Amino acid sequence: MEENELEQQDRRDFLSCLGSALACGAAAVAASALAPPATAATAATAGAKPPAIPGYDWSKHRWGYGVDATKCIGCLRCVEACKKENNVLGDAHHFRTWVERYVYLEGEETARIDSHADPVNIAASGSEGEYRFADRYKDAKVEKAFFVPKLCNHCTHPACVQVCPTGATYKTEDGVVVIDHTYCIGCQYCVQACPYGARYFDERRNVTDKCTWCYHRITKGLQPACVEVCPVGARIFGDLNDKQSPISQFVKNNQVQVLRRESGNAPNVFYVGIDKEVI
Amino acid sequence: MPRHIVRLVLLMVAIGAVGYVAKIFFTADSFYEYGHYRGKSVAEIASDKPKYKGSEYCESCHAERFAEWSKGVHNKSDIGKVVKCEVCHGAAGERDVRGMFEHLATGVDHPNKLKLVVPTDARKLCTLCHEKMPGRPAQQPQIVVASHAGTQQCTVCHNPHSPKLNLVSTAPTPIRGDAARGKAKAAACVGCHGAEGVSVNLPGPSLAGQNAAYFIAALKAYGTGARDNPMMSAFAKGASDDDAQDLAAYFAALKCQSSLTAEKQAAAAGRATASKCIACHGADGVSSNRAWPNLVGHSKDYLVAALRAYKSGSRKGNMMAGIVKTLSDAETENVAAYYAGASCK
């Protein structure tokens, strides 16, 4: 008797288990059958009317970004302006854009790399909320040194978008990878997926955040905040559809390169004046 | 069909239906509008209010500073090098923050309820871009802070809105005063500053050929007590604005004569030290900027006394104070000899 009861218990458990598994499978199949396939989505977009942004049609633009590292003076005003413009957390460890310094000392094979988040630089600036590069190599024999501004590459094939489970991050028609914070569940898959480390997690709001090329500015005809404040023109932004735009001219007139081409993401930030160590 | 199979199929259909309803219910209406994301979020993200407003925004209210800035070295728009107002003063706009994920097109703008930063520590600000360091491209003007400015604020010598010092000779400002009237008034000065403003072993320095603007400023400084000298102060207090103008006109028009006490050797040694002064006082002791004094025509003793006075702080002159700090006693003597020996043109 006792044994029999146990057996029955097992069968019921098994069946209920199987039932829910099947149900889940069915739901998933139903969901995927109902979701329009990717190709249909793009086709639909072509006809759909563009998002309601006053005075702006996203189908007319294809944004691109350039960095001229030969001009950058490492003043970090871009980092400051970006944080202010986009309500980024004020400390040194959360940022949408940053600047790296590459220093080759005499007799050393590899570069020493630091950014504003380095403790020495934080100490020189006086606080985590101010940004400055310390003159730490003044007594060293420096063979070569340069600054490299970095930001999200707004890739043509963004790995971060591919891994997002909720459709919270996506690429707009005009070429900008953005995040819908209301749909972000803070799983941070995208933070891991990005080969450039361009995403950070905002513990204040429990969402991931990243550069949007200041989408709220560029759709109003303004430049991204970092480009707006750069005192030496090291950051270049514009519309690749417009052959006269600064970015088209920059790409045309220079031997530009991109970071980590081999990752297959096809970045849209074009660099001049960096060497092979920069990734 | 066996009953338990029917039950199982019904259960699966029911669950599928619930799943489908849940999907319709939970998927935002604009999802899939353009792709696998909420279509409405595009316009939401684009709706944020920009904070940085650009330098043109400031022009209407701060026309004077804007004009100064736009003609200065921090606005080289032709080569794409522009240090905008908001780089030093902070963003002129704010965006309201109500909820965590809200995109808002509203917020206050300077000058309404938003005060902009007035940088008090110019050293910290200017050195962000001008401190000499490896990695900074050579085309960026850079300084070694300690030797260039000592501990002084950059704004002592540089105007932040047009920082390039005016080292090009400017046309003399027209003088209101009348030299003939000045000549009469100058009778009181001859005893100490010499006939025709050339002092030879007299207590006062030579005045012949001194820049009028500086002359007037110097008299005013004695008058207010900013510069103090037991012999000179009494005379300056008695002089009205008109007197100062007339006297300046008179003395500026006189011909300066080389001080006669030059010591040739010390002067040669002083030439090296004078490299620190040339930018402002010229190699021949004639200042590029008319508001600054000419050094030519002064006796060595007066120059040494003046430099010592700046060093001790008894004479205030912001630009000079930093410079004399680095001068040793020997250098002071030598550079004074160098300028005392400079010949008048």
Side-chain angles (χ1 to χ4, degrees):
Chain A
M1 178 67 193
E2 256 198 325
E3 247 184 20
N4 207 2
E5 217 169 50
L6 255 183
E7 232 169 57
Q8 264 189 339
Q9 196 81 41
D10 277 355
R11 193 185 304 127
R12 195 170 291 150
D13 277 357
F14 172 75
L15 277 177
S16 71
C17 229
L18 183 72
S20 34
L22 281 175
C24 286
V29 169
S32 59
L34 287 162
T39 46
T42 7
T45 333
K49 75 178 188 0
I53 305 170
Y56 182 79
D57 181 353
W58 71 353
S59 61
K60 295 208 165 61
H61 302 275
R62 189 163 60 92
W63 300 114
Y65 199 106
V67 172
D68 189 344
T70 62
K71 289 188 179 158
C72 180
I73 58 172
C75 67
L76 295 168
R77 296 311 84 201
C78 45
V79 174
E80 163 124 354
C82 172
K83 289 211 175 212
K84 176 92 177 106
E85 181 72 49
N86 296 298
N87 292 339
V88 178
L89 282 154
D91 61 59
H93 308 287
H94 297 80
F95 39 83
R96 289 178 168 206
T97 184
W98 68 104
V99 181
E100 289 170 3
R101 170 166 61 184
Y102 286 71
V103 179
Y104 294 83
L105 297 186
E106 228 168 68
E108 287 187 3
E109 284 279 295
T110 52
R112 296 176 179 226
I113 308 170
D114 64 347
S115 80
H116 71 265
D118 191 278
V120 175
N121 295 331
I122 294 175
S125 74
S127 87
E128 288 220 351
E130 291 164 282
Y131 319 102
R132 109 164 15 238
F133 276 108
D135 189 11
R136 67 198 290 181
Y137 297 108
K138 61 168 170 280
D139 300 322
K141 286 208 168 113
V142 176
E143 200 142 77
K144 170 164 124 177
F146 53 91
F147 294 99
V148 184
K150 289 200 171 170
L151 66 159
C152 168
N153 282 288
H154 295 272
C155 307
T156 306
H157 307 298
C160 53
V161 169
Q162 226 162 61
V163 302
C164 179
T166 62
T169 187
Y170 56 92
K171 195 165 170 72
T172 60
E173 298 279 296
D174 42 358
V176 185
V177 177
V178 293
I179 299 180
D180 176 2
H181 283 145
T182 54
Y183 256 47
C184 177
I185 56 170
C187 70
Q188 302 183 51
Y189 279 147
C190 55
V191 178
Q192 303 290 330
C194 176
Y196 305 100
R199 290 172 168 251
Y200 71 93
F201 189 66
D202 185 340
E203 289 91 1
R204 190 180 43 178
R205 302 185 285 176
N206 276 322
V207 292
T208 298
D209 193 39
K210 69 176 274 295
C211 162
T212 60
W213 278 346
C214 285
Y215 200 63
H216 61 291
R217 293 179 66 91
I218 63 177
T219 50
K220 295 180 179 72
L222 302 169
Q223 297 270 295
C226 51
V227 179
E228 167 81 18
V229 301
C230 180
V232 291
R235 290 170 173 261
I236 299 118
F237 181 80
D239 191 345
L240 290 166
N241 282 347
D242 173 3
K243 291 292 161 240
Q244 296 310 312
S245 71
I247 186 64
S248 297
Q249 296 289 323
F250 179 75
V251 173
K252 191 174 114 199
N253 299 333
N254 290 291
Q255 293 213 332
V256 294
Q257 63 188 101
V258 295
L259 303 181
R260 289 188 202 259
R261 165 170 297 255
E262 72 286 357
S263 75
N265 287 264
N268 286 307
V269 175
F270 304 100
Y271 282 84
V272 159
I274 56 176
D275 69 11
K276 62 178 190 342
E277 282 246 349
V278 181
I279 47 169
Chain B
M1 233 189 283
R3 242 177 64 201
H4 65 279
I5 298 291
V6 173
R7 260 204 235 137
L8 199 59
V9 168
L10 281 180
L11 183 71
M12 281 165 62
V13 168
I15 289 172
V18 168
Y20 181 56
V21 170
K23 179 184 167 347
I24 290 177
F25 191 73
F26 287 119
T27 307
D29 49 356
S30 64
F31 215 88
Y32 301 122
E33 192 176 345
Y34 308 113
H36 184 69
Y37 57 90
R38 203 163 56 86
K40 282 218 174 87
S41 67
V42 181
E44 281 171 21
I45 293 168
S47 72
D48 276 350
K49 172 175 177 276
K51 293 182 179 174
Y52 281 81
K53 304 183 93 65
S55 299
E56 292 68 31
Y57 175 74
C58 323
E59 188 176 6
S60 55
C61 302
H62 299 289
E64 215 172 294
R65 285 212 169 68
F66 184 89
E68 213 175 12
W69 169 84
S70 54
K71 279 187 250 125
V73 279
H74 277 166
N75 181 29
K76 289 192 178 170
S77 40
D78 50 330
I79 55 166
K81 297 195 175 182
V82 183
V83 186
K84 297 195 175 149
C85 312
E86 287 166 303
V87 171
C88 298
H89 291 294
E94 264 301 343
R95 176 158 70 240
D96 289 338
V97 184
R98 281 193 217 111
M100 291 228 273
F101 305 119
E102 269 179 282
H103 294 282
L104 288 168
T106 56
V108 297
D109 281 337
H110 170 79
N112 304 319
K113 290 196 186 146
L114 179 64
K115 264 194 175 269
L116 290 189
V117 183
V118 181
T120 47
D121 192 351
R123 286 170 68 86
K124 207 167 176 185
L125 175 71
C126 311
T127 54
L128 280 169
C129 302
H130 290 297
E131 184 177 18
K132 191 167 182 60
M133 76 170 66
R136 258 182 200 153
Q139 69 260 31
Q140 173 68 6
Q142 294 165 57
I143 52 146
V144 177
V145 182
S147 61
H148 182 91
T151 54
Q152 287 194 100
Q153 286 296 344
C154 315
T155 42
V156 165
C157 298
H158 296 278
N159 171 354
H161 300 117
S162 183
K164 186 140 187 111
L165 291 181
N166 188 8
L167 300 176
V168 196
S169 248
T170 45
T173 33
I175 305 163
R176 265 198 295 126
D178 177 63
R181 266 183 283 146
K183 183 170 183 174
K185 290 176 186 170
C189 325
V190 174
C192 297
H193 292 288
E196 305 280 289
V198 177
S199 159
V200 183
N201 295 328
L202 292 172
S206 291
L207 297 176
Q210 189 55 284
N211 289 328
Y214 170 74
F215 186 100
I216 293 165
L219 272 189
K220 201 174 274 167
Y222 289 118
T224 59
R227 196 173 160 182
D228 193 35
N229 181 278
M231 279 190 263
M232 189 54 220
S233 296
F235 283 90
K237 286 203 177 83
S240 68
D241 271 2
D242 282 342
D243 293 342
Q245 294 281 350
D246 293 342
L247 287 162
Y250 169 67
F251 282 109
L254 291 177
K255 257 188 96 69
C256 124
Q257 277 181 26
S258 291
S259 170
L260 305 170
T261 56
E263 300 162 36
K264 289 259 152 41
Q265 265 204 324
R271 185 185 296 272
T273 312
S275 64
K276 290 186 189 167
C277 329
I278 286 171
C280 298
H281 293 297
D284 50 3
V286 178
S287 291
S288 52
N289 186 320
R290 301 267 161 183
W292 302 340
N294 293 335
L295 300 185
V296 65
H298 281 318
S299 69
K300 183 188 161 199
D301 292 346
Y302 175 70
L303 292 175
V304 169
L307 290 170
R308 294 231 169 96
Y310 285 123
K311 197 160 183 173
S312 71
S314 65
R315 186 172 169 186
K316 304 266 180 301
N318 282 336
M319 287 200 189
M320 287 305 300
I323 289 152
V324 293
K325 251 185 224 139
T326 60
L327 290 186
S328 67
D329 281 352
E331 280 175 327
T332 305
E333 294 273 335
N334 292 345
V335 77
Y338 170 78
Y339 276 116
S343 60
C344 300
K345 292 235 172 68

